[in-house]
Amino acid sequence: QQQVKQSPQSLIVQKGGISIINCAYENTAFDYFPWYQQFPGKGPALLIAIRPDVSEKKEGRFTISFNKSAKQFSLHIMDSQPGDSATYFCAASISGYALNFGKGTSLLVTP
Amino acid sequence: GAVVSQHPSWVICKSGTSVKIECRSLDFQATTMFWYRQFPKQSLMLMATSNEGSKATYEQGVEKDKFLINHASLTLSTLTVTSAHPEDSSFYICSAPRPGGYGYTFGSGTRLTVV
């Protein structure tokens, strides 16, 4: 059973545009919500993470929006660049326990 | 800080042989290590959780006799794929909770190809 549902599966955005990826979860005990970026042949790299007591967190061009009541969170990539083309995974966990990953979103930023 | 070193980065082995993957925590003590497997174009799927000094807990559908996990010390966890077959070819990644309880650190992954 997929505990974290991610959409869309793939996304094409023009350079300079905003990329938005959404995730939904069911387990209200989750208290850690990270986003990972993965390039082919590499392991996942943490982009940004949020706790459920915060509704938004911004780091550079990356922003997480968190809606606790809707059990949803999203990643916004502002001013998307071709170098952002990668696969993005959302995840959720209870701290100290294993991460539950979404299925991933393949992002392509066109020049 | 909180670095996990994973070796080897890639390995090719013949069908029927065994392969050992090591994950070492370099600057902290990892009492827990998670082992994930990622098939091409798929997500990371938890295989098992290992705790130092005790038996690993395997996820449903993962053969514990095939994927042997040892966590004998606070700085080393190993995954041995026994009698490997081509369908075991995958990307294996270890991960440990960061000290202090917020976040996780990942190894760099091992690309296993069984021929």
Side-chain angles (χ1 to χ4, degrees), chain A residues 26-46:
Chain A
E26 287 298 323
N27 190 342
T28 56
F30 287 152
D31 61 1
Y32 179 69
F33 302 87
W35 284 91
Y36 290 91
Q37 180 188 57
Q38 187 177 33
F39 292 103
K42 302 293 185 182
L46 178 66

Side-chain angles (χ1 to χ4, degrees), chain A residues 11-19 79-82 107-111:
Chain A
L11 182 60
I12 300 175
V13 173
Q14 283 193 330
K15 179 182 175 181
I18 302 174
S19 304
D79 187 26
S80 299
Q81 299 296 312
L107 171 64
L108 175 64
V109 181
T110 59

Side-chain angles (χ1 to χ4, degrees), chain B residues 79-114:
Chain B
L79 166 66
T80 300
V81 183
T82 63
S83 187
H85 290 285
E87 56 265 32
D88 299 322
S89 298
S90 188
F91 192 52
Y92 294 86
I93 309 170
C94 60
S95 175
R98 287 184 175 274
Y102 186 69
Y104 301 80
T105 181
F106 283 81
S108 55
T110 297
R111 173 74 59 193
L112 170 64
T113 302
V114 184

Side-chain angles (χ1 to χ4, degrees), chain B residues 21-90:
Chain B
I21 301 169
E22 292 188 349
C23 280
R24 293 182 183 273
S25 54
L26 300 185
D27 52 0
F28 71 104
Q29 293 182 328
T31 56
T32 300
M33 191 73 74
F34 305 110
W35 287 92
Y36 296 88
R37 178 169 55 182
Q38 185 179 32
F39 291 108
K41 298 189 184 301
Q42 293 189 23
S43 186
L44 287 79
M45 296 300 295
L46 180 68
M47 297 176 66
T49 300
S50 73
N51 291 291
E52 186 268 337
S54 62
K55 290 185 178 181
T57 303
Y58 291 82
E59 295 300 299
Q60 191 173 11
V62 177
E63 300 173 59
K64 62 180 180 181
D65 295 329
K66 181 173 183 60
F67 299 98
L68 301 179
I69 292 175
N70 186 283
H71 197 151
S73 79
L74 289 171
T75 59
L76 177 64
S77 179
T78 62
L79 166 66
T80 300
V81 183
T82 63
S83 187
H85 290 285
E87 56 265 32
D88 299 322
S89 298
S90 188

